[in-house]
Amino acid sequence: MNANPLTAGTTRVGRPVELSPQAPQLYGRLARRAGLALLAWSRRQDERRTSSAMQLRRQAELAGTRARDDQFQRLALLGSPMA
C-alpha cells in the first residue's frame, strides 16, 4: 500500500492539505461510532417512555386519524355533485 499522503487542495495560507490513505477508514470508524451512539441514545429514550405515555400517544394518534378521515369525508361530500 502506498503510504504517501494525498494532496487535496490548498489552504488559505497556501500550504497543501494532506490526506493520508487511512482517512476513509477513519471516517468510516467515526461514522460507525456516531451511529452506535445514536442508537444507544434512542434506546435510552425508548426506555424512559412509560407505557402510559405511549398509550396516550397512541390515543392521540388515533384521534388525529379519525379527525382527518372525518374532514376528508366532509370535503368529499361537499365536492360531490348532487344527483
Side-chain angles (χ1 to χ4, degrees), residues 61-77:
E61 206 173 287
L62 183 60
T65 300
R66 285 183 185 154
R68 185 192 64 222
D69 291 346
D70 288 345
Q71 287 290 45
F72 180 75
Q73 196 171 33
R74 285 185 191 140
L75 290 173
L77 291 174

Side-chain angles (χ1 to χ4, degrees), residues 10-77:
T10 58
T11 62
R12 292 183 188 183
V13 180
R15 294 181 18 203
V17 177
E18 294 181 352
L19 298 175
S20 69
Q22 289 83 13
Q25 294 170 353
L26 173 65
Y27 293 136
R29 287 194 312 264
L30 288 174
R32 279 191 295 276
R33 289 183 83 182
L36 290 173
L38 285 172
L39 282 174
W41 176 83
S42 177
R43 288 183 182 137
R44 284 191 307 272
Q45 293 295 87
D46 286 342
E47 290 170 359
R48 287 184 184 140
R49 293 185 185 111
T50 62
S51 60
S52 60
M54 292 180 75
Q55 185 179 9
L56 286 173
R57 191 181 120 257
R58 276 190 237 115
Q59 289 173 351
E61 206 173 287
L62 183 60
T65 300
R66 285 183 185 154
R68 185 192 64 222
D69 291 346
D70 288 345
Q71 287 290 45
F72 180 75
Q73 196 171 33
R74 285 185 191 140
L75 290 173
L77 291 174

